[in-house]
């Protein structure tokens, strides 16, 4: 090791799902939406004037913030936007988790949380889920410097009620509680209304999943104006121009057309419910999902074998070689045609 390497900030990075370069694959591994975004997005980009690119974008991304505020019936001062919810969450960790006490999150959850805790030097403790992967709100009364919970949870897909979330938020007035609602539009009820009642609650959502815009990178947080101000102070201490002009234009158009994404979410929900039946018939077990993916385990065949066999057939799903979840595959809900191809392949593999 070179001498200077002693002074390097060393990180064990998050490993995102594979993005294969081949064209004719069925990609059910990163919870992307199989449908295109709203036609209003296409129109906004077609009307985008490239001459404007020479100018810096609006550091406040006001157009987008106002559109989101309008859609969710909150004030613009209660909305923060960032480059995907990963950016928003990382910044929220940096802003709110600044205590010597450990932050808490479930032992099985989005695997970025411990990565952010490490990089921002935040002490953390993981809290075990129940054996059926549900969450016990009573455990979140331990002394802590903050809490983060994905609801629905990843990779299990399990949705906890607003009542359960409220128990955690109300029991922790001394900490900021972040609820990551990346998958809330697929059938759960958002805890956004609780932000009016609790000043320590930050709700984070994304345009990547339900709005089919993973490629343009838009995430947002809603909370009381004081929380949002603290986040903006940190953001403007790092990089003022996080949201580029095309993202602001596309995102504004998408935010104003919520009817469209609600329609595609309904299609995905219907496909998901049919997939639950088909997979059960094939001998899979899974927690009940209210997200756009299913976390499945086969009664007899190993997850890793199925994963590899599917890959040979150019069907990509997600598998983790981690002790707690190595028996499971996470399958993103695609179009019904993609799901049919998946079922055909599975029937062949399980024979
Ligand atoms: C996908 C996902 C995100 C981040 O998505 P972005 O594309 O960065 O908005 C955040 N949290 C969870 C639980 C996710 O699954």
């Amino acid at each position: 090791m070179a001498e200077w390497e002693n002074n390097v900030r060393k990180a064990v990075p998050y490993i995102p799902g594979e993005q294969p370069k081949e064209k004719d694959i069925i990609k059910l591994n990163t919870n992307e939406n199989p449908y295109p975004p709203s036609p209003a997005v296409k129109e906004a980009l077609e009307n985008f004037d490239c001459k404007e690119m020479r100018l810096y974008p609006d550091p406040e991304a006001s157009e987008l913030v106002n559109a989101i505020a309008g859609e969710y019936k909150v004030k613009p001062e209660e909305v923060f936007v960032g480059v995907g919810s990963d950016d928003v969450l990382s910044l929220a960790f940096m802003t709110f988790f600044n205590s010597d006490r450990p932050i808490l999150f479930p032992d099985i959850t989005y695997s970025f949380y411990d990565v952010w805790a490490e990089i921002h030097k935040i002490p953390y403790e993981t809290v075990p889920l129940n054996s059926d992967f549900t969450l016990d709100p009573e455990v979140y009364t331990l002394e802590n410097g903050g809490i983060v919970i994905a609801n629905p949870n990843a990779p299990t897909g399990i949705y906890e009620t607003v009542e359960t979330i409220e128990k955690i938020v109300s029991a922790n007035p001394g900490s900021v509680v972040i609820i990551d609602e990346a998958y809330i539009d697929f059938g759960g009820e958002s805890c956004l209304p609780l932000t009016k009642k609790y000043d320590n609650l930050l709700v984070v959502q994304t345009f990547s999943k339900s709005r089919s815009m993973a490629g343009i990178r838009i995430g947002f947080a809603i909370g009381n104006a004081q929380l949002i101000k603290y986040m903006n102070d940190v953001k403007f201490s790092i990089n003022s121009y996080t949201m580029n002009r095309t993202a602001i234009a596309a995102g504004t158009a998408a935010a104003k057309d919520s009817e469209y994404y609600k329609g595609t979410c309904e299609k995905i929900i219907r496909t998901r419910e049919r997939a639950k039946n088909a997979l059960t018939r094939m001998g899979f077990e899974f927690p009940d999902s209210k997200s756009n993916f299913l976390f499945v385990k086969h009664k007899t065949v190993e997850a890793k074998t199925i994963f590899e066999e599917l890959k040979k057939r150019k069907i990509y799903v997600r598998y983790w070689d981690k002790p707690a979840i190595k028996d499971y595959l996470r399958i993103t809900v695609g179009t019904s045609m993609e799901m049919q191809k998946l079922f055909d392949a599975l029937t062949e593999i399980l024979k």
Side-chain angles (χ1 to χ4, degrees), residues 304-318:
K304 192 163 187 226
T305 308
I306 302 174
F307 167 75
E308 282 162 359
E309 286 298 318
L310 284 173
K311 200 163 169 174
K312 282 185 201 157
R313 293 165 176 81
K314 296 193 178 189
I315 300 176
Y316 286 75
V317 299
R318 193 88 191 259

Side-chain angles (χ1 to χ4, degrees), residues 80 87-93 95-96 202 204 221 226-237:
F80 178 90
D87 179 45
V88 176
L89 286 161
S90 169
L91 202 99
F93 271 49
T95 308
F96 301 120
L202 189 79
V204 178
Q226 192 58 26
L227 285 178
I228 300 302
K229 185 193 173 296
Y230 278 126
M231 285 186 79
N232 273 313
D233 288 347
V234 173
K235 173 201 144 162
F236 285 110
S237 308

Side-chain angles (χ1 to χ4, degrees), residues 84-86 89 110 150 154 180 182-183 206 208-209 217:
S85 57
D86 286 340
L89 286 161
Y110 190 34
D180 177 357
Y183 301 104
T206 176
S208 296
K209 278 71 183 237
R217 313 305 300 131

Side-chain angles (χ1 to χ4, degrees), residues 101 144-147 169 172-177 200-201:
R101 283 163 296 165
N144 66 75
I147 292 171
V169 178
N172 289 282
S175 305
V176 172
V177 178
N200 62 324
L201 170 63

